[in-house]
Amino acid sequence: MKQNRFPAYILALCFLLILASCGKPPVGKLIITKVPSGQATPNMLTGENWRYIPRAVIAIVDPGKASSEKILTSDFYSACSPDISWDGDRIVFAGQKKQSDPWQIYEMNLKSRKYRQVLNIDGNCTDPVFLPLDKVIFTKNVTPSDSSLKTGYELYVCNADGSGMQQITFHPYADFATTVLKDGRLLVVSKEIAPEQQNPSLVALRPDGTKADIFYKGAPGTSLISRSHEADEKVYFIESDANGKSEIISVRYNRPLHSRQQVSSDNKGNFSSVFPSLNGNLLVTYNEGSGSSYAVYELDKTTGKPVKNVFSSNGFDVVDALQVDVHQRPKKLPSEVDMGVKTGLIMCQDINFKGIGIMDPLSKKAVKIEVMGIDSSLGIIPVESDGSVYLKIIADMPFRIQTLDERNKVVYSGSDWLWLRPNERRGFVGFGVDEEVAPMNRVPKAVKKDPVSVPVIKMFEKEVELE
């Protein structure tokens, strides 16, 4: 029996149509965020006019070709904080359909320009970033109704379809401007808001919320005002001083606490964002001084000066710019979190250790620690003769640790807020210690015993205080 077959040219045409529909990512194009000029001063604490920007627009444009601009978020009252997927095909962003709507998370295909809503929940959400295996990290405003904290801005993770949402940070902080490093860790601008406000710092942590540590901390009075981005074994970000003057800063990836360098130099204006360009320089959003609008410039890293206006928009400030590229997917880090476990473990090697060769004969030696919760003490625990202590603490609960002398007087009270994820195990060497310094390698006496459970029961706490 004779079979009907498609002519070869029809099959070839179908194949070409399929290829055309797939297309290539728009490598080299800019994803910009712009706002009407003259917006109110950004608030780094609440995110107003910084992470929640009124009437913001996301657009795509060819560098140097203003006429090529195409608005991507015309259906939105406001949209900002885009992040580009590592395959260059998609962006994820925060948006408001109507002015009265809460900020929610959306994903858009850059080739078809079609978008979908990832989340539809109560509360403002912003700063989404892509994670491996179709997951998204974002910031959510938390309230007493959905958190043990009184208020704050915490990090959450969810699947690409919005399912499986979980909180991953648990401290009285405002966590904004997250990025994902190549090694799979998150880097977030984190600002303490209780019991008192502190300067923001860059905190590195795993996507499951474990192993959170200070990555970079600026001088008193400074603020971190942009997402950070990684290139050439360095991390770049924008830092402003107490007078509001902003500069481009870099730190080395392998030693961020001791490698700060100011990249920009002798510029009259201010910067609002920085992103590594495909040609090895930096793309920055910059204004040339009072009264001028922010535009996208290429900055020469060797001179620290903007050398080329890449894109500007009359009547608008361009406050953020990313360049589409295809790059290696960040590593997917294994997770030790087990939601069936209700506690985590933490060990300090020596609560009196201040650094090798550091001696202060006038300081009192601490012999106890006190674990402090949001509203009250969670217990006082004596340490071993070598200064070590080993604790089992309820998971996903913010706490701080201060050291005490034999009379329960505070010796050190400068601990950052901490938390432990379910089944997490953490260790640290001492308090107020340079993270690059460690005491002699030995087995702490505390780990030879069972950990002390926190919160400590009142009976045990009273017995400890009487010793």
Side-chain angles (χ1 to χ4, degrees), residues 6-135:
F6 287 106
Y9 73 90
I10 293 180
L11 292 174
L13 179 61
C14 291
F15 181 71
L16 290 174
L17 288 174
I18 293 173
L19 287 179
S21 65
C22 294
K24 294 182 179 180
V27 172
K29 291 194 175 185
L30 304 182
I31 304 296
I32 60 105
T33 303
K34 65 179 189 177
V35 299
S37 298
Q39 291 273 23
T41 302
N43 189 315
M44 306 302 167
L45 178 62
T46 66
E48 296 297 324
N49 297 305
W50 181 47
R51 315 316 297 173
Y52 308 121
I53 309 175
R55 297 182 292 161
V57 173
I58 299 174
I60 188 169
V61 62
D62 290 322
K65 298 179 180 179
S67 61
S68 68
E69 178 186 358
K70 293 182 174 59
I71 304 299
L72 300 178
T73 56
S74 56
D75 292 346
F76 292 77
Y77 162 74
S78 189
C80 61
S81 300
D83 180 59
I84 305 172
S85 61
W86 48 87
D87 57 11
D89 286 338
R90 297 162 294 150
I91 61 170
V92 64
F93 62 95
Q96 285 179 301
K97 277 299 194 69
K98 297 184 295 185
Q99 185 175 0
S100 58
D101 291 342
W103 287 83
Q104 299 289 284
I105 307 302
Y106 296 83
E107 183 186 281
M108 175 179 288
N109 185 296
L110 288 177
K111 290 174 287 190
S112 67
R113 310 287 165 82
K114 293 182 179 179
Y115 65 88
R116 63 180 183 82
Q117 188 167 346
V118 175
L119 289 172
N120 185 13
I121 60 176
D122 293 333
N124 287 322
C125 302
T126 189
D127 290 316
V129 289
F130 286 105
L131 281 178
L133 301 182
D134 288 327
K135 291 183 179 292

Side-chain angles (χ1 to χ4, degrees), residues 288-310:
E288 295 181 323
S290 178
S292 63
S293 296
Y294 282 88
V296 184
Y297 288 81
E298 183 178 308
L299 182 132
D300 188 335
K301 289 189 291 187
T302 60
T303 65
K305 296 184 178 300
V307 294
K308 180 181 178 182
N309 187 314
V310 176

Side-chain angles (χ1 to χ4, degrees), residues 30-292:
L30 304 182
I31 304 296
I32 60 105
T33 303
K34 65 179 189 177
V35 299
S37 298
Q39 291 273 23
T41 302
N43 189 315
M44 306 302 167
L45 178 62
T46 66
E48 296 297 324
N49 297 305
W50 181 47
R51 315 316 297 173
Y52 308 121
I53 309 175
R55 297 182 292 161
V57 173
I58 299 174
I60 188 169
V61 62
D62 290 322
K65 298 179 180 179
S67 61
S68 68
E69 178 186 358
K70 293 182 174 59
I71 304 299
L72 300 178
T73 56
S74 56
D75 292 346
F76 292 77
Y77 162 74
S78 189
C80 61
S81 300
D83 180 59
I84 305 172
S85 61
W86 48 87
D87 57 11
D89 286 338
R90 297 162 294 150
I91 61 170
V92 64
F93 62 95
Q96 285 179 301
K97 277 299 194 69
K98 297 184 295 185
Q99 185 175 0
S100 58
D101 291 342
W103 287 83
Q104 299 289 284
I105 307 302
Y106 296 83
E107 183 186 281
M108 175 179 288
N109 185 296
L110 288 177
K111 290 174 287 190
S112 67
R113 310 287 165 82
K114 293 182 179 179
Y115 65 88
R116 63 180 183 82
Q117 188 167 346
V118 175
L119 289 172
N120 185 13
I121 60 176
D122 293 333
N124 287 322
C125 302
T126 189
D127 290 316
V129 289
F130 286 105
L131 281 178
L133 301 182
D134 288 327
K135 291 183 179 292
V136 175
I137 292 281
F138 61 96
T139 291
K140 181 180 182 297
N141 182 207
V142 298
T143 63
S145 63
D146 57 9
S147 172
S148 61
L149 305 174
K150 294 180 179 179
T151 187
Y153 296 86
E154 306 288 343
L155 295 186
Y156 282 71
V157 63
C158 70
N159 296 318
D161 61 2
S163 64
M165 188 176 77
Q166 290 187 6
Q167 185 176 343
I168 65 167
T169 61
F170 301 83
H171 55 175
Y173 281 56
D175 291 334
F176 287 116
T178 303
T179 192
V180 182
L181 298 174
K182 294 175 184 177
D183 68 6
R185 291 181 300 164
L186 310 177
L187 205 53
V188 58
V189 176
S190 191
K191 178 180 175 64
E192 182 179 338
I193 58 178
E196 58 186 26
Q197 295 186 33
Q198 301 288 343
N199 289 345
S201 57
L202 280 177
V203 171
L205 68 156
R206 293 187 170 214
D208 61 1
T210 62
K211 306 298 187 288
D213 283 308
I214 297 293
F215 187 84
Y216 170 81
K217 198 166 191 174
T222 59
S223 291
L224 305 175
I225 63 172
S226 76
R227 270 181 172 164
S228 53
H229 293 285
E230 186 180 8
D232 305 322
E233 303 300 322
K234 293 182 179 180
V235 173
Y236 295 88
F237 51 90
I238 309 297
E239 183 178 75
S240 67
D241 62 21
N243 298 317
K245 183 70 172 69
S246 60
E247 301 288 356
I248 302 170
I249 305 299
S250 75
V251 295
R252 291 208 309 270
Y253 174 84
N254 60 352
R255 204 181 180 208
L257 291 171
H258 302 281
S259 58
R260 181 188 184 276
Q261 286 189 332
Q262 183 173 314
V263 179
S264 53
S265 176
D266 297 326
N267 295 295
K268 295 181 180 179
N270 281 299
F271 300 88
S272 65
S273 74
V274 57
F275 190 83
S277 67
L278 297 183
N279 65 7
N281 280 328
L282 296 173
L283 289 173
V284 298
T285 50
Y286 171 75
N287 72 359
E288 295 181 323
S290 178
S292 63

